[in-house]
Amino acid sequence: PAPPAPPAPPPRGWARYPHGPGFLAALARGDAPRAVWTALPGPGWPDELARALAAALAAGRGALAVLPDGRAAARADAALTALVGPGHHVLLTADSGPEERYARWLAVSRGAVRCVVGTRAAAFAPVRDLGLAAVWDDGDDAHRDDRAPQPHAREVLLLRAAQERAALLLGAHARTAEAAQLVETGWARPLAPDRETVRVLAPRIRTVGEDDEARDGAARSARLPTLAWQALRDGLARGPVLVQVPRRGYAPRLACDRCRAPARCGRCHGPLAAVAAGEELSCGWCGTRTGGWHCPECGGARLRAVVVGARRTAEELGRAFPAVPVRTSGRDHVLEGVPDRPALVVSTPGAEPVAEGPGYAAALLLDGWALLGRADLRSGEEALRRWLHAAALVRPQTEGGTVVVLAEATLRPVQSLVRWDPDGHAARELADRAALGFPPVSRMAAVAGPPEAVEGLLGAAALPEAAQVLGPVPLPRAEPGRPRRPGDPPPGEDWVRALVRVPPGSGGALAAALKSAQAARLARREGPRARVTVDPPDIG
């Protein structure tokens, strides 16, 4: 049997939100409120999430929280254990191992445990009498499964909340266009702090302005202008400093120093990269090491870094501050936390460790052009999300916390970061997509494959009357030995992709038409097969 319901928790951190105590009270009564939560900066969100889960448990119902990675899930797990004690919930992550994870899944299925905290797969946990479904940071790519049918944890929990009459909580420091649409349509209510509270708790955000250019002629062209060096020195005098670098490695992209032609592998024509100082160059596609490189365009033998990675950044900062320890956190080794003493922490986005005590004294957000310059519909939204989650680890400006973002100050994501206004950015992003007919306002499906397969599937599908077919356009050819992302063409094959767009309310008809046409072609064995993706994460 499940343990007895814990008492309803006091609001504590939720008291900082105008509607926070009312949301908790509704959960404790067994109601089903739906909210999009813009979390305040600082370390308080795990405790606030735990209190929402505990309020649902206090009503005698089940609760479920899905987080993007094991580190975030561990923080929520620790906060919930401290609040209600052990035995009320289980943690479902890959780190638990298959046997332990299956035992915990069975405990949930049998009703012995009524609360689950976990990563993406936990969205399907069989929680009995679900009272609250919560998602933290729904814009993180880790919430979407790359394997068919490519479910997204947010969409799964939206369906579960509607079908099981449960409350829903979408929380993050940022806000996605999908979450903004839920608010605009009235399906969910905003749960955000007032501006006065944000100004008190947020760090000071600085960009390179005209005054900085007057003092430093290279303020816009230098990778680390005087403003950044000053923030580093001042921050290290008070505690740890976070440096966010968009790329990992030493020098992920190299070019000829004379003519700027990209350095390519002689075997597969892939990009050459420097793994570490003094080592031979290696190909990013096939891994072949190259010695004695010469530019095929001009004959030059010297290289320059087009993109500087986290390891190279850590090496340069270590030389500039020899008395300060430098630590790196990235895909190969992610730090759980850092102590509250002067140190430089160089991290890639999403791998930022939490600093003990009041947080980081300062943060540098480097190479903003690498995030904002991606050919992706979500580039601005994703850049702001990564910046906000890093800046939220910094102390408030009342305690000297400073964040320096090195990007064009006039761009919308940068200005939204300066004002700490993720809600306004999401609302404007949604309005722009509505005007252009882009998701999430419209529904889309991507049909990719050999040209004859795409043409045959679209010709056989009974698409809705309002459907628009965009394309097809050729996809980049995948060379042998190059790392492949999900959805990329097989090596050596020429594929095309078409996008099919329908207005709201026609998504089900579009999916049914493509499914029927695909099944008919497979049954008749009509040529090569096309790949269909509904709501593709990347439309360029």
Side-chain angles (χ1 to χ4, degrees):
R12 293 289 295 275
W14 284 109
R16 303 179 298 175
Y17 303 83
H19 301 291
F23 178 75
L24 281 193
L27 290 176
R29 290 194 304 267
D31 297 342
R34 299 187 291 259
V36 175
W37 167 35
T38 305
L40 283 164
W45 69 264
D47 180 72
E48 292 160 8
L49 178 59
R51 291 179 184 277
L53 298 174
L57 292 176
R61 304 191 68 183
L64 171 60
V66 179
L67 299 99
D69 54 56
R71 294 187 304 131
R75 294 181 65 188
D77 170 60
L80 187 57
T81 302
L83 183 62
V84 300
H88 289 275
H89 76 285
V90 293
L91 178 66
L92 291 180
T93 63
D95 297 336
S96 306
E99 294 182 2
E100 180 64 25
R101 190 164 65 249
Y102 182 59
R104 295 175 181 179
W105 187 277
L106 288 179
V108 176
S109 177
R110 293 166 179 167
V113 177
R114 295 186 296 112
C115 181
V116 172
V117 175
T119 49
R120 182 178 62 218
F124 297 96
V127 178
R128 293 192 180 182
D129 190 18
L130 184 64
L132 171 64
V135 183
W136 173 255
D137 194 13
D138 64 294
D140 196 301
D141 291 338
H143 281 302
R144 186 183 184 95
D145 196 337
D146 291 332
R147 295 163 294 187
Q150 298 183 334
H152 193 291
R154 177 189 58 237
E155 306 306 320
V156 172
L157 292 186
L158 282 173
L159 289 173
R160 291 192 63 176
Q163 294 174 358
E164 303 181 42
R165 298 182 180 179
L168 180 79
L169 180 63
L170 292 183
H173 294 298
R175 180 178 289 187
T176 61
E178 287 78 6
Q181 186 184 34
L182 295 178
V183 173
E184 183 169 308
T185 58
W187 196 88
R189 300 295 298 274
L191 191 55
D194 53 42
R195 294 302 303 170
E196 291 74 14
T197 306
V198 171
R199 281 192 287 267
V200 171
L201 295 178
R204 182 188 182 192
I205 312 294
R206 300 195 61 186
T207 61
V208 176
E210 296 181 356
D211 295 340
D212 301 294
E213 291 183 14
R215 292 190 296 267
D216 181 5
R220 288 196 181 273
S221 59
R223 186 168 187 248
L224 285 177
T226 302
L227 174 64
W229 287 110
Q230 181 182 354
L232 282 174
R233 287 192 296 267
D234 294 345
L236 289 173
R238 295 178 285 110
V241 173
L242 175 66
V243 181
Q244 186 192 74
V245 183
R247 305 289 178 87
R248 63 186 182 91
Y250 191 80
R253 292 293 181 270
L254 296 170
C256 176
D257 187 58
R258 182 188 298 174
C259 69
R260 301 297 192 266
R264 296 289 183 178
C265 172
R267 179 184 177 188
C268 71
H269 207 59
L272 294 180
V275 179
E279 292 190 8
E280 290 183 336
L281 305 179
S282 65
C283 176
W285 291 359
C286 66
T288 302
R289 293 189 175 273
T290 302
W293 178 88
H294 286 81
C295 178
E297 302 293 334
C298 68
R302 298 184 62 182
L303 291 163
R304 69 188 299 270
V306 178
V307 178
V308 177
R311 289 181 58 188
R312 173 68 177 272
T313 303
E315 181 181 297
E316 293 177 349
L317 293 178
R319 289 197 296 263
F321 298 93
V324 178
V326 180
R327 307 185 68 182
T328 59
S329 181
R331 188 181 71 175
D332 299 331
H333 177 63
V334 179
L335 298 176
E336 295 293 332
V338 293
D340 184 20
R341 55 175 177 266
L344 284 167
V345 182
V346 182
S347 171
T348 52
E352 300 90 352
V354 179
E356 298 177 357
Y360 289 99
L364 296 185
L365 309 177
L366 299 184
D367 302 336
W369 58 268
L371 294 176
L372 295 171
R374 296 185 305 133
D376 189 351
L377 177 67
R378 301 179 182 273
S379 59
E381 176 186 290
E382 179 67 7
L384 179 61
R385 186 188 71 82
R386 294 182 175 187
W387 290 339
L388 285 169
H389 279 266
L393 302 175
V394 181
R395 302 170 187 176
Q397 59 179 337
T398 55
E399 301 178 19
T402 302
V403 175
V404 176
V405 54
L406 299 181
E408 176 56 49
T410 59
L411 296 177
R412 181 192 294 173
V414 181
Q415 286 299 309
S416 298
L417 175 65
V418 172
R419 297 191 305 270
W420 204 279
D421 184 24
D423 300 351
H425 182 274
R428 289 187 292 272
E429 184 77 11
L430 182 65
D432 288 348
R433 295 190 195 180
L436 298 173
F438 285 148
V441 178
S442 65
R443 302 299 300 272
M444 269 190 178
V447 182
E452 61 273 19
V454 174
E455 182 180 356
L457 179 61
L458 293 179
L463 299 176
E465 293 184 2
Q468 292 179 296
V469 179
L470 310 178
V473 296
L475 291 175
R477 186 183 179 95
E479 302 296 336
R482 178 180 179 178
R484 292 177 59 202
R485 297 183 305 172
D488 283 352
E493 293 189 15
D494 293 320
W495 276 23
V496 298
R497 184 183 72 169
L499 297 175
V500 186
R501 178 171 62 190
V502 295
S506 301
L510 172 63
L514 293 175
K515 179 180 178 181
S516 298
Q518 183 82 297
R521 283 177 54 82
L522 290 175
R524 292 192 294 263
R525 300 182 180 180
E526 296 181 355
R529 178 183 177 185
R531 180 180 296 163
V532 179
T533 305
V534 178
D535 293 336
D538 179 17
I539 63 173

